[in-house]
Structure formats: C-alpha cells, structure tokens
Amino acid sequence: MKKIYFLCISLFATYQLSAQCAGRYQANIFNTIDVNTVTYGSNLDLNGNNVNLTMDIYQPQGDTSTSRPLIIFAHGGSFSAGTKNDADIVYFCTEMAKKGYVCASINYRLAPSAFSLIAEETTVKVVLMAMQDGKAAVRYFRQDAATSNTYKIDSDQIFIGGTSAGGILGINMAYLDSTDVMSPSWQSWSNEVGGLEGNSGNPGYCSLVSGTFGFAGGVADPLWITSNDVPWYGCHAETDNTVKIGYGQPLNGFTPVFLYGSDSINARLNTLGIHAAYDRYAGGAHPPFNGSSTIMQNNKDSLAAFLYRILDCNPNNLKLPGQKSCNTTTGIADATEKTIKATIYPNPTN
C-alpha cells in the first residue's frame, strides 16, 4: 500500500511539473513555423534618410494559445552591418518558436559605415537610435495586443536581446531608464536624436520589457541596473576582444567608448539579488558559439531555461515582487517628499 501511495505522489508531481505553462516553453512542441515580414516603424538615419523598419515574426503553425510570451531578437554587426536574416538569429527565432514563443527578428538603423564609429558622437547616437527602434518594436506588439490582437502575445511578458550589437541594444534598452545618469554630452546627443523613446513608431504604448539577454553583449554602465530591474541571461568568451567580457573599448579599441561586458553585468545583478544566468567560456570567440554548432545549441537551451524560470505561468518563477513593469504603481505613502515621474499607457486612456 505504501509503494502505491508513493507512486501516486510521484505521478502527481510529474503531472504538475508538465502542467506548468501547459507543457510549453521548455521542449519543442511544434514542428512547423510560419514567418511573415512587417514594417513596425520608420525614422531618419544619421544621413537624414528615412528608413523603413522591418521585422520577421515567427509563430508556431497551428498554435491555439491566445497569450504567448514574446522574444525580440536583434542581430549583431557592430551597429554598422547585419540584418534580421542573419543565420544565428534565424536559428534562435525558429527554435524558440518551436517551444511556443512568438519571436521577432528586427532590423534597426545602422551607422553610415564602420569607419564612422571612430567618432564618439556617432557611436553614441547610433546605439541610442538602435535602442529607440527596439522600443518601437516593443510598442508595436503592445499596440497590436490592445487592438487587433493579431499575434496573441502576453503583453506583460516581452523579452529582448540578441547577438553582440543586438545584445548591447537589448541590455541597454532594458536598463537605461533616464538620461539623467548619462554624461552631459551623451544627454545632449540623446536629445538631438529624439530622447530614449525616440520617434520610430507606435507612440503611446509602454516600451518596458520583462527580461533581457546578450550573446556577448554589454552595458554602458552597470550602475544603470537598479534593485527593481529585470533578469538577464548572458554568454561570453573570456578573451573576446570585440566586446570585452569585463571593461574596455569594443572592436579591439577602435571605438572611443567604453563598455562593461557580461562579467560586470553578472556581478551587478548578483549584488542586487536579481536573477541572472551566465555561460562563461574559455577562448576569444565572438560570440561564444561562433564556429561551434554545439555551443550555439547550448546557448539556445540556456536561454530557454532562463526564460522559463521567469515566466508568469511558472509558479516557481524567480521574478522579484517589485520588478519594474508597465503595471508598476506607487502608493501615496511611498510618494511622501518624493518627486514622481509618471507616464500613462496607452494614451489616450480611460
């Protein structure tokens, strides 16, 4: 009788585990993925030319779920090259969509040339403009969720990141909340290109995300990460000279800005008690999976495991109770003798 009891308990526990998130988001549950291309916005590049911003949206064919987490991927290319069709991004989008996610691979505005990044002003402006485009992509999906609901996403579970420059785009976008923490010159350049939110499209909707990731990414300043910030996954090679794993100038010192890599991000998040997952590799490959399909698969599996640990459908998720989100509220008691900066989404609203 005792053996039967323990067997029943084990079977129930197994069922409960598989029932979390309806069995989605860990293993592949779909075989065929549909991909369609849309224009999510437009804006001027540094030469004053209008750029139509496009993205490919990956969805599991035949999926009937009506509230799916969204992952936005941004390609690498040192902010001067690359496209939404880069092989690594196509791989990650396809594989994550097989698990039930909606995925999007975005194009974003680039520098006029790689050589132009030798100027600090150009580098800073181009990165800020790419972040603005990432925010416009987030707003595109929130606008869709509030209107036609074509993509049936859960607008409270949007994640962004990418490879190299794409990781830098997503990580800085997730953690930079105000230009007040930037140097005076950076603040001025930010204002010149339209501020942090920018004008790339879909205004009136929240652009915050619930998590970020970077395959050899970095952040301009880890102190931008505060106690209520979102979780992060990263992978990085120890002697990467394109984006340093610690602190240094990207592109072997070619660009006149400094960046903090995955070691610094991981340390800051651990200090603050925010969930972080980190794969650290020997060697100098950039990104770590460059030339290795095995490492790419491992990074994909690590990303899937990381995201599952912070999904709302997982009752044991590792999100902090006060994590910043579009639904964050401030009580009257908390507001005493403090200045409140508030934005209401969408606008207009009831």
Side-chain angles (χ1 to χ4, degrees):
M1 183 67 181
K2 186 177 291 186
K3 290 182 179 179
I4 294 174
Y5 172 76
F6 282 116
L7 177 61
C8 291
I9 292 295
S10 299
L11 289 173
F12 178 74
T14 302
Y15 170 76
Q16 286 292 92
L17 182 62
S18 64
Q20 292 175 6
C21 302
R24 301 166 65 96
Y25 313 125
Q26 290 180 290
N28 291 355
I29 57 176
F30 296 95
N31 295 320
T32 306
I33 305 302
D34 292 326
V35 183
N36 68 296
T37 303
V38 302
T39 299
Y40 70 88
S42 65
N43 210 334
L44 300 178
D45 63 15
L46 282 180
N47 289 329
N49 300 315
N50 189 69
V51 177
N52 288 324
L53 302 169
T54 59
M55 63 178 164
D56 292 337
I57 302 174
Y58 295 67
Q59 300 181 82
Q61 190 176 100
D63 190 10
T64 59
S65 176
T66 58
S67 185
R68 304 174 293 184
L70 168 71
I71 312 173
I72 297 175
F73 288 86
H75 62 81
S78 304
F79 293 101
S80 61
T83 76
K84 60 183 174 58
N85 300 315
D86 284 359
D88 60 323
I89 299 299
V90 171
Y91 169 80
F92 287 118
C93 284
T94 302
E95 292 301 311
M96 297 305 289
K98 287 180 181 179
K99 301 180 188 302
Y101 288 94
V102 176
C103 297
S105 173
I106 64 171
N107 279 336
Y108 52 91
R109 287 171 292 167
L110 301 173
S113 68
F115 184 75
S116 68
L117 297 173
I118 199 170
E120 180 183 5
E121 179 178 352
T122 299
T123 297
V124 171
K125 284 184 174 179
V126 165
V127 174
L128 287 169
M129 290 160 69
M131 290 162 56
Q132 293 170 352
D133 297 346
K135 287 175 176 286
V138 172
R139 294 194 299 265
Y140 176 89
F141 283 102
R142 285 215 167 92
Q143 183 179 50
D144 174 79
T147 54
S148 63
N149 198 25
T150 302
Y151 301 107
K152 296 179 173 54
I153 68 153
D154 180 349
S155 60
D156 290 330
Q157 295 187 99
I158 298 177
F159 311 97
I160 191 168
T163 301
S164 188
I168 294 168
L169 183 164
I171 293 166
N172 284 276
M173 185 187 123
Y175 294 137
L176 178 58
D177 297 322
S178 170
T179 58
D180 294 345
V181 297
M182 303 166 76
S183 68
S185 58
W186 284 30
Q187 289 184 43
S188 177
W189 295 333
S190 174
N191 291 333
E192 289 174 17
V193 298
L196 295 185
E197 289 296 318
N199 303 296
S200 294
N202 320 304
Y205 290 86
C206 176
S207 63
L208 295 180
V209 294
S210 295
T212 186
F213 57 92
F215 308 115
V219 68
D221 189 343
L223 295 182
W224 291 354
I225 307 173
T226 56
S227 59
N228 68 335
D229 252 314
V230 300
W232 161 89
Y233 163 70
C235 65
H236 221 125
E238 293 175 354
T239 55
D240 185 342
N241 283 319
T242 303
V243 177
K244 298 285 189 180
I245 198 170
Y247 175 69
Q249 291 175 270
L251 301 176
N252 291 286
F254 177 79
T255 55
V257 297
F258 286 81
L259 198 65
Y260 292 83
S262 298
D263 270 7
S264 302
I265 298 170
N266 187 57
R268 175 64 173 171
L269 290 168
N270 287 337
T271 297
L272 295 173
I274 299 169
H275 177 55
Y278 185 24
D279 291 328
R280 197 176 193 273
Y281 295 90
H286 178 84
F289 56 73
N290 188 20
S292 173
S293 59
T294 300
I295 293 179
M296 178 179 281
Q297 181 175 336
N298 291 341
N299 294 156
K300 177 261 297 180
D301 292 342
S302 291
L303 176 62
F306 161 74
L307 291 175
Y308 184 77
R309 287 193 293 269
I310 59 175
L311 288 180
D312 290 342
C313 61
N314 181 351
N316 300 311
N317 74 71
L318 298 176
K319 294 166 61 174
L320 295 176
Q323 178 179 306
K324 70 181 181 186
S325 72
C326 297
N327 302 315
T328 300
T329 57
T330 301
I332 295 299
D334 297 329
T336 306
E337 295 181 339
K338 292 182 181 179
T339 299
I340 301 175
K341 294 181 180 180
T343 307
I344 298 175
Y345 297 94
N347 183 17
T349 188
N350 292 326

